[in-house]
Amino acid sequence: MLYTTFMTHYKTDYAIINAEIVVHQTDSQPSNTSSTTEGILHKAGLLVSQGKIQEIYADSTEAQAQAQKLGLEIIDAQGAYLGPGLIDMHIHGCGGTDTGQEDLQTALETMANFLAQRGITSFQPAVFPSVEVMEKAQAALEASPLAAYHVCSIYNEGPFIALEKKGGLPAESLRDFTAEYMEQLLSFRHPETNRTLLGTMTVAPELEGADVAWKMAAEAGSKVAWGHSASYADMLPANKGVHLTHIFNAMNGIDHRRPGLAIVPFLKQYHDATYELIADTVHVNQQTMEFLIHSLGTQRLCLISDAMAAAGMGPGESVYLGRQVICDGKVSRYKEGNILIGSAMLTHDTGRQLVEAGLIDVAGFFRIASTNPARVLGLTDRGLIQVGHRADFVLLNESLHVQDVFIGRTN
């Protein structure tokens, strides 16, 4: 599938009027919210100042009058849906590049620009899990304000995972847990926020040291995600705040005799468990996605791409970590062994397909593709249309294709 390049605006002071603004129930209430229906303010407007949301108006007339008074540029959304910029919390590559490239700074900048054009204004790149790569990632973000703005943190898919469930991850990236190595991984900092750069790390919960990894990550402000695991439900620790790496993939499924990790969010004990979903219909079957969403709703679901370099480039061949990769436009596989390694679809498209299939509504689209990932990652300045948040927006037309993207910084 080929993607069109959309209009991306880098602006810090302006107003948007006549928009169908997708709001969240925890948002601070704008004036005259009686027109709110199912999380949408109709014909609404907002003001942006210094790259932040300054005010939200349920009445566009009021927004326009205030903008004129302040001498702000006024943008007419003409009835398009306005929601927070999308957040992909698990992506390896897109636009012909990936995090396995030697020049990581250029790769992250290329990904940032490519994703921004598609409404994905923040992302958490998944990297080869090692101290050396984390060091490169920190250096790349320190050298690039562009990448530092869009890259919220780094995802380490490993290295403490089960060999038999490694999927497309190289065996040489796996290692036994040590507290010393974990401490090194957690030591790197994001140059803009000074938070630990390791936002998420996949750990197989059955491995020795998994409980220590969980505790260390929590204390550092990072998130351990259970995944790439051969465990079963009766083997799992009683942790709260569990997050699952791409549910149903690289884990044992919901068997009626011995259910695996995939059953976790359905259990009362893990009522607060969050989970990632790759919705390209290959990683997870359409009927299974229907079962998942109709059973659990969307309050804990995080839409991810798990995309590779070929995402957005159509069918073709590429190289990842020195191995040939083939792409059919929907997913990428290693040519040798036909091993599924990642998606070739990005979340602005898979989210739209979920709406078209009747599994979610427009508000649900933004919930799973922006609000929930922001909450799981502890990002308090994005993921919602809310006063004080970043002015990172995406405008979707009636058919939910990206129309315009707004970034709250100068390019």
Side-chain angles (χ1 to χ4, degrees):
M1 179 182 295
L2 293 173
Y3 295 89
T4 305
T5 298
F6 310 110
M7 182 63 72
T8 305
H9 309 273
Y10 291 86
K11 297 176 179 293
T12 58
D13 299 271
Y14 61 97
I16 297 178
I17 62 172
N18 294 325
E20 299 292 287
I21 300 183
V22 180
V23 293
H24 190 275
Q25 61 182 4
T26 62
D27 286 352
S28 55
Q29 295 297 316
S31 58
N32 185 24
T33 56
S34 59
S35 60
T36 304
T37 304
E38 297 180 348
I40 295 179
L41 295 174
H42 301 293
K43 296 182 179 180
L46 54 76
L47 300 186
V48 173
S49 176
Q50 298 182 348
K52 306 287 186 181
I53 301 173
Q54 184 181 58
E55 193 65 67
I56 305 167
Y57 298 91
D59 182 355
S60 264
T61 303
E62 188 177 353
Q64 185 171 355
Q66 185 65 17
Q68 289 172 338
K69 180 180 178 181
L70 296 172
L72 295 176
E73 176 187 3
I74 299 174
I75 298 166
D76 191 340
Q78 299 181 352
Y81 293 107
L82 177 69
L86 307 185
I87 301 171
D88 190 344
M89 64 179 292
H90 187 160
I91 179 170
H92 297 265
C94 61
T97 192
D98 59 57
T99 59
Q101 302 296 321
E102 182 62 29
D103 185 351
L104 187 55
Q105 178 182 334
T106 298
L108 294 178
E109 290 175 342
T110 300
M111 290 174 65
N113 285 321
F114 192 85
L115 292 170
Q117 291 173 352
R118 287 141 183 90
I120 303 160
T121 56
S122 293
F123 66 104
Q124 186 176 234
V127 302
F128 188 91
S130 71
V131 168
E132 293 74 22
V133 173
M134 288 297 293
E135 186 175 19
K136 284 179 60 177
Q138 179 175 292
L141 298 185
E142 289 173 343
S144 174
L146 168 67
Y149 183 88
H150 292 280
V151 174
C152 51
S153 47
I154 299 295
Y155 201 124
N156 272 15
E157 204 167 351
F160 315 127
I161 60 174
L163 178 62
E164 59 268 46
K165 290 291 185 178
K166 68 180 182 63
L169 300 176
E172 58 268 25
S173 71
L174 278 56
R175 61 185 297 145
D176 293 333
F177 173 81
T178 67
E180 293 75 18
Y181 199 76
M182 184 73 179
E183 187 174 4
Q184 289 184 68
L185 291 172
L186 290 166
S187 68
F188 300 97
R189 317 304 294 181
H190 194 292
E192 282 199 351
T193 65
N194 201 37
R195 294 177 56 186
T196 179
L197 186 56
L198 181 61
T200 310
M201 169 187 272
T202 304
V203 174
E206 71 271 21
L207 298 186
E208 184 176 353
D211 55 338
V212 181
W214 179 287
K215 182 178 180 181
M216 292 179 69
E219 290 175 349
S222 183
K223 188 82 174 179
V224 158
W226 286 352
H228 287 276
S229 162
S231 65
Y232 293 91
D234 57 2
M235 301 166 53
L236 298 175
N239 293 36
K240 293 184 178 181
V242 168
H243 183 73
L244 298 184
T245 298
H246 45 51
I247 192 168
F248 296 115
N249 291 279
M251 63 179 63
N252 292 322
I254 304 179
D255 179 84
H256 70 291
R257 294 189 185 277
R258 202 172 184 203
L261 197 57
I263 203 171
V264 162
F266 296 89
L267 301 177
K268 183 178 180 180
Q269 178 181 355
Y270 301 103
H271 64 92
D272 59 349
T274 54
Y275 47 92
E276 303 166 4
L277 174 67
I278 310 169
D280 57 21
T281 71
V282 177
H283 279 82
V284 180
N285 172 274
Q286 182 75 22
Q287 286 71 35
T288 304
M289 289 195 293
E290 181 176 339
F291 162 71
L292 179 72
I293 293 172
H294 282 182
S295 299
L296 300 178
T298 58
Q299 294 299 326
R300 296 180 287 150
L301 190 160
C302 298
L303 186 67
I304 65 166
S305 68
D306 195 29
M308 309 301 291
M313 305 298 288
E317 296 194 14
S318 59
V319 177
Y320 182 63
L321 297 177
R323 299 178 64 179
Q324 286 296 123
V325 174
I326 55 174
C327 172
D328 63 4
K330 292 188 74 173
V331 297
S332 294
R333 302 176 186 270
Y334 282 133
K335 193 170 186 178
E336 182 182 354
N338 201 37
I339 299 171
L340 182 64
I341 61 169
S343 186
M345 298 182 68
L346 298 172
T347 56
H348 71 300
D349 275 330
T350 56
R352 184 184 68 253
Q353 289 183 173
L354 290 174
V355 176
E356 292 171 346
L359 297 183
I360 59 174
D361 58 13
V362 176
F365 173 99
F366 285 101
R367 184 181 306 120
I368 68 175
S370 186
T371 304
N372 290 352
R375 174 166 51 86
V376 169
L377 294 175
L379 303 174
T380 58
D381 62 348
R382 68 200 84 174
L384 294 170
I385 301 294
Q386 182 167 298
V387 172
H389 276 216
R390 281 186 176 191
D392 292 345
F393 310 128
V394 57
L395 273 178
L396 302 180
N397 63 21
E398 187 177 357
S399 60
L400 302 186
H401 287 82
V402 175
Q403 178 176 304
D404 288 284
V405 181
F406 297 86
I407 309 294
R409 66 184 294 272
T410 55
N411 193 8

